[in-house]
Structures are given as C-alpha cells and as structure tokens.
Amino acid sequence: MLDCSRCSFCLVMIAMWRRILIAAEVVKEASRALGELKNMLVFAGAVLGVFALYFIWWVYGALFFYSAGAFIQETTPASIRALPDAPATFSRLDDPKWLHDALWAHFFGLLWSMQFLMYVTFAVLAGAIASWYFSLKDEEGKAIRGDGENDFPTAQFSIRPNEPSDSIWAPLPLARSSSPLFNLSARLSPTL
C-alpha cells in the first residue's frame, strides 16, 4: 500500500515538473518584490490592524443590538412560586423585532465591509507589484524610481509601432513625443 502511494506521488511529480518549475520562479519573483517593496508588509499589517479595530467595533455594536430593550416586571408562574425562596416577580428583557432585523443588517455590514477592505488591499498590493514588475531595472536588477518630477518609468516591455503586427499602436509616436514618461523611458532604455 505504501509503495503504491509513493509510486503515485512520483508519477504525479514527473507529470507536473514544468508547473513546479513555474511555481518556483513565481516564488523567486515574489521574494524579489518583497525585498524591494518592504513597505508592503507594513501596509498589510496596517490593514490587519484596521480589520481588528473594525471587528472590535462590530462586536460592540452587536452587543448593543443584542442587549437593547426594556426590562419588564412579570409575575412568577405559580409552579415556580411553590418552590421555597422563589421570588414573586421576575424581570425579562423585552426587545423589539426591529432590533433582531438590525442585528442581521449589522452582520451583513460586517461581511460586506470586510470583503471590501480585503479586496481594496489586494488591488493596492497588486498595483504596487505591477508597478515594480514593469518598471525599468538598473544594472543590479533594482527598479529605477523617478527623480520626483512626475516620472515613474514603468515601461520595461518594448513597444514598436513600426512593425506591421503592431499597427494598432499608430497613435503611439504622438504619445511618445508629448509624454514625459516615454521621454524618460527613451533616455533610460534604448529598446523603446
């Protein structure tokens, strides 16, 4: 039984070796990105802190909805009053129906807000990584950052409008001549 599972595992590894190599390259590129964009971890930690604070606020609100209402004095049933030391009256919390409905709306708000914050975080991190990945690199492989004059060179790929297959890029020479991004990229990289 054990030999059969080992053999199956080896066959799966042999069949998927290309995908494993691709996954290894993705992990290497992700480690390069984290090496240069260390603030991503700070940003993710800050968002986690916002999640925790929001959840604490949500629990406080849910406890309010659960405990809101008025105490009503009622007479203790005769069967309980027959017991020794039974009180003649007791208090019960009378909560209106709309409070239960508000609690469900509050719960839906928790789900919606958490998903919204999570996917905004994903979008911000994806934008930072895309900006890093497509930025021009120097000799050491580090991303070149702008010098503060609205020039953040993000054109590592080559766009050549003169090739027949790229005829869709016909307006690109005009954009190149008027855009500071392309002018900076042309100064930094001869392939553009």
Side-chain angles (χ1 to χ4, degrees):
M1 178 75 171
L2 189 59
D3 291 330
C4 182
S5 62
R6 285 182 185 170
C7 186
S8 299
F9 179 75
C10 289
L11 288 175
V12 167
M13 290 296 117
I14 290 170
M16 297 183 64
W17 71 274
R18 285 187 181 142
R19 291 183 185 204
I20 293 170
L21 291 176
I22 290 172
E25 289 299 318
V26 168
V27 169
K28 284 181 191 176
E29 200 66 28
S31 66
R32 282 188 211 115
L34 278 175
E36 284 194 45
L37 303 172
K38 293 176 180 69
N39 288 340
M40 282 193 327
L41 296 175
V42 174
F43 178 75
V47 171
L48 185 63
V50 169
F51 279 158
L53 290 175
Y54 181 76
F55 188 73
I56 290 169
W57 173 84
W58 184 86
V59 167
Y60 179 77
L63 289 174
F64 170 76
F65 284 126
Y66 187 73
S67 64
F71 283 105
I72 298 175
Q73 292 288 330
E74 292 191 357
T75 306
T76 305
S79 60
I80 296 178
R81 273 187 284 148
L83 298 173
D85 298 331
T89 61
F90 70 95
S91 299
R92 91 173 162 82
L93 183 65
D94 183 38
D95 51 345
K97 169 91 170 86
W98 66 269
L99 278 176
H100 292 289
D101 296 339
L103 186 60
W104 282 110
H106 190 61
F107 180 69
F108 176 75
L110 168 76
L111 297 179
W112 186 89
S113 298
M114 290 299 214
Q115 291 298 311
F116 181 78
L117 284 172
M118 186 178 353
Y119 284 100
V120 164
T121 303
F122 289 165
V124 168
L125 292 178
I129 290 191
S131 178
W132 171 82
Y133 185 80
F134 290 112
S135 65
L136 296 171
K137 307 286 192 255
D138 61 8
E139 295 81 25
E140 297 174 6
K142 302 264 186 189
I144 298 173
R145 303 291 183 219
D147 60 4
E149 299 176 9
N150 292 331
D151 52 357
F152 190 73
T154 57
Q156 182 178 3
F157 48 88
S158 177
I159 301 173
R160 298 184 191 104
N162 298 331
E163 293 182 11
S165 63
D166 294 336
S167 60
I168 193 169
W169 295 104
L172 198 58
L174 176 64
R176 278 189 179 176
S177 64
S178 62
S179 171
L181 172 67
F182 284 114
N183 290 337
L184 175 70
S185 298
R187 284 185 282 145
L188 295 175
S189 174
T191 60
L192 287 176

